[in-house]
């Protein structure tokens, strides 16, 4: 998804772009009750609007009007509301297949993007002012030469590894159980983040009265939760979520995602820029991973286009340093925020629940602190690139 965003952003700027993808779009899953949802921050909607892609996504999007954060069994809650920022929504919940389809359709219409699919990057070699990229395909190998290579190849990035860029890994020992449910009461466009004894639980508003559930459990318990019948699963979920949405009724198919933190030590190498999960793979507790990747795209596209306008080489170390310097703060802040939250709300030391509750009450009552949190969640903090401000590149 992040790679396709970048192809859309850089199209029409006088470049020739090659996109390489091993998995065909049509075998990635059909729409249905079980759609996996992605929470898009308002800032990401801005980026998609600037790229003229939001219109096609909007029909499948459910706006988030309020975020309600609570700790099961303890007092205190934080509420973030769209009215505090004067915007129509804090964010949107969009099925991943809608985002994927809109991006794939858009890329297929771009005359300056050559799509290699199914194909994967096998090896790269550096020449003085270009990189040679060898592609593995069913019908044999192919080769492309480029001034700049962008690694948007996910957490296990081959390009990152081949460039010798180290990364910090933490296995959280947790697994996210992802499913959709239908509650008895309307969700009223509220996203719930609830911290429970077995791990954080997110319940996000979706279309047709559904809610997307991301429930984090200790990995040792994941098999048992996956094996539960639907009625027993809903009962356990209800016990942790409480009665805010009435009785939790229908449950969809469950998927299990083992969770880890990955943070690359650098987001660029020689004629190489890293974006999305290839540079940061986060705990999904605050729904920030893709949003951070979309901001990588907005900044990289701006830096590359500015370089082209100034007749500079877009793959030069000077241009890539601008990208890494600009992204450093956002990467650090969001990684610290999500990792801190994941750790804070999975520890169970005596008295910690009371402290968390007090912290939440304090945060709810201190407008500047809460505003900062809301802006971080919405992807509207720090120096914003043109695409995030609704401007063309
Ligand atoms: C349970 C869960 C819930 C989440 N919820 C949210 C949310 O609500 N909001 C949010 O912002 N984020 C969320 N995330 C995070 C989000 O899903 C990821 O950050 C995002 O999908 C990363 O996109 P990407 O394109 O960088 O990487 P990926 O999606 O991993 O894509 C990598 C691509 O590279 C391709 N590839 C791999 N190897 C090669 C190769 N050798 N050559 C060429 N191509 C290759 C792959 O086929 C793939 O298409 C969630 C994550 C999880 C696990």
């Amino acid at each position: 998804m992040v790679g396709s965003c970048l192809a859309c952003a850089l199209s029409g700027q006088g470049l020739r772009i090659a996109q390489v993808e091993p998995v065909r779009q049509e075998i990635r899953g059909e729409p249905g009750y079980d759609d996996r949802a992605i929470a898009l921050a308002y800032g990401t909607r801005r980026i998609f609007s600037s790229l003229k892609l939001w219109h096609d996504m909007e029909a499948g999007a459910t706006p988030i009007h309020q975020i309600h954060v609570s700790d099961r069994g303890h007092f205190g809650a934080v509420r973030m509301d769209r009215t505090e920022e004067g915007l129509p929504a804090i964010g949107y919940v969009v099925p991943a297949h809608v985002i994927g389809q809109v991006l794939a359709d858009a890329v297929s219409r771009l005359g300056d993007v050559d799509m290699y699919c199914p194909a994967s990057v096998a090896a790269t070699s550096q020449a003085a002012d270009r990189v040679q990229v060898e592609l593995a395909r069913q019908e044999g190998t192919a080769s492309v030469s480029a001034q700049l290579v962008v690694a948007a190849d996910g957490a296990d990035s081959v390009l990152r590894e081949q460039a010798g860029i180290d990364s910090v890994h933490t296995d959280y020992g947790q697994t996210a159980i992802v499913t959709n449910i239908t509650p008895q009461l309307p969700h009223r466009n509220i996203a719930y983040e609830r911290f429970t004894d077995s791990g954080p639980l997110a319940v996000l508003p979706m279309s047709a009265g559904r809610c997307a559930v991301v429930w984090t459990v200790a990995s040792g318990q994941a098999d048992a939760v996956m094996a539960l019948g639907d009625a027993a699963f809903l009962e356990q979920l209800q016990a942790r979520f409480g009665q805010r949405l009435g009785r939790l009724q229908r449950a969809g198919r469950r998927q299990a995602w083992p969770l880890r933190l990955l943070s690359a030590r650098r987001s660029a190498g020689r004629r190489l820029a890293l974006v999305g999960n290839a540079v940061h793979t986060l705990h999904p507790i605050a729904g920030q991973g893709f949003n951070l990747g979309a901001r990588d795209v907005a900044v990289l596209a701006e830096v590359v286009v500015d370089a082209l306008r100034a007749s500079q080489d877009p793959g030069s170390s000077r241009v890539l340093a601008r990208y890494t310097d600009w992204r450093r703060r956002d990467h650090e802040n969001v990684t610290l925020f999500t990792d801190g939250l994941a750790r804070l709300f999975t520890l169970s030391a005596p008295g910690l629940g009371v402290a968390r509750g007090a912290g939440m009450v304090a945060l709810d009552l201190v407008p500047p602190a809460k505003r900062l949190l809301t802006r971080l969640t919405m992807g509207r903090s720090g120096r914003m690139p043109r695409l995030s401000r609704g401007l063309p590149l």
Side-chain angles (χ1 to χ4, degrees):
M1 291 197 296
V2 173
S4 297
C5 285
L6 184 67
C8 292
L10 286 177
S11 176
Q13 302 292 338
L15 292 163
R16 187 97 215 141
I17 301 160
Q19 187 177 348
V20 183
E21 171 56 56
V23 186
R24 278 192 207 278
Q25 174 71 18
E26 59 269 22
I27 54 173
R28 285 182 184 164
E30 292 298 314
Y33 186 82
D34 296 316
D35 294 338
R36 184 164 92 86
I38 297 274
L40 297 183
Y42 188 79
T44 305
R45 174 225 153 119
R46 270 264 169 87
I47 294 171
F48 281 135
S49 297
S50 306
L51 297 177
K52 307 211 174 344
L53 297 171
W54 179 247
H55 179 264
D56 291 339
M57 283 179 203
E58 197 167 12
T62 306
I64 300 172
H65 293 170
Q66 199 185 87
I67 301 180
H68 183 280
V69 186
S70 60
D71 195 358
R72 180 178 176 244
H74 300 282
F75 69 96
V78 178
R79 288 171 203 81
M80 290 176 244
D81 199 282
R82 61 180 171 153
T83 52
E84 286 158 23
E85 286 291 313
L87 290 171
I90 293 179
Y92 298 81
V93 183
V94 187
H97 82 86
V98 171
I99 304 175
Q101 193 62 56
V102 170
L103 287 168
D105 290 348
V107 170
S108 72
R109 290 192 297 266
L110 303 175
D112 48 2
V113 177
D114 298 323
M115 179 56 113
Y116 292 85
C117 179
S120 58
V121 173
T124 55
S125 53
Q126 301 275 343
D129 58 354
R130 300 191 81 79
V131 188
Q132 198 70 25
V133 184
E134 306 305 327
L135 307 182
R137 301 184 300 170
Q138 258 170 2
E139 63 270 41
T141 55
S143 175
V144 282
S145 149
Q147 283 177 292
L148 173 65
V149 174
V150 180
D153 51 348
D156 299 315
S157 171
V158 169
L159 284 162
R160 186 189 64 226
E161 203 162 292
Q162 285 178 356
I165 297 177
D166 278 347
S167 48
V168 181
H169 293 252
T170 307
D171 181 350
Y172 283 114
Q174 295 171 4
T175 297
I177 311 282
V178 178
T179 189
N180 292 338
I181 55 155
T182 305
Q184 184 185 13
L185 301 177
H187 52 58
R188 295 183 295 130
N189 299 84
I190 300 173
Y192 294 94
E193 187 75 63
R194 189 149 170 80
F195 297 99
T196 79
D197 53 351
S198 58
L201 167 63
V203 177
L204 309 173
M206 273 184 96
S207 57
R210 284 175 300 174
C211 288
V213 170
V214 182
W215 180 15
T216 310
V217 300
S219 290
Q221 294 168 7
D223 284 348
V225 176
M226 290 297 284
L228 289 171
D230 283 356
F233 174 75
L234 284 172
E235 200 177 305
Q236 292 218 9
L237 200 61
Q238 185 91 61
R240 280 158 184 88
F241 181 71
Q243 297 297 327
R244 282 197 172 86
L245 289 173
R247 212 157 57 78
L248 306 181
Q249 294 167 331
R250 180 176 170 190
R253 193 162 46 85
R254 272 163 255 159
Q255 287 182 345
W257 298 74
L259 301 180
R260 60 177 156 158
L261 168 72
L262 180 146
S263 188
R265 294 211 188 269
R266 288 180 287 133
S267 45
R270 207 169 147 212
R271 294 203 171 272
L272 174 73
L274 271 55
V275 293
N277 271 25
V279 59
H280 44 69
T281 302
L282 305 176
H283 195 293
I285 190 165
Q288 291 292 321
F290 177 71
N291 292 302
L292 198 56
R295 300 203 287 280
D296 294 343
V297 165
V299 170
L300 183 59
E302 182 163 325
V303 162
V304 165
V305 166
D306 286 351
L308 291 172
R309 286 179 190 148
S311 303
Q312 292 170 351
D313 175 351
S316 68
S317 53
R318 218 167 91 193
V319 171
L320 291 175
R322 263 181 240 149
Y323 168 67
T324 52
D325 289 349
W326 193 344
R327 292 307 291 140
R328 187 169 299 120
R329 192 117 176 243
D330 196 20
H331 285 170
E332 284 172 2
N333 284 349
V334 175
T335 305
L336 272 173
F337 170 60
T338 50
D339 186 50
L341 217 54
R343 288 172 197 278
L344 181 65
F345 286 97
T346 44
L347 294 174
S348 55
L352 201 60
V354 177
R356 282 194 300 242
M360 284 202 263
V361 171
L363 195 59
D364 206 38
L365 295 177
V366 181
K370 208 171 92 174
R371 186 131 199 270
L372 201 67
L373 182 66
T374 310
R375 293 189 79 99
L376 188 74
T377 309
M378 294 173 84
R380 302 183 77 227
S381 64
R383 181 181 159 209
M384 291 202 287
R386 293 194 281 272
L387 291 176
S388 298
R389 286 182 279 136
L391 301 171
L393 266 184

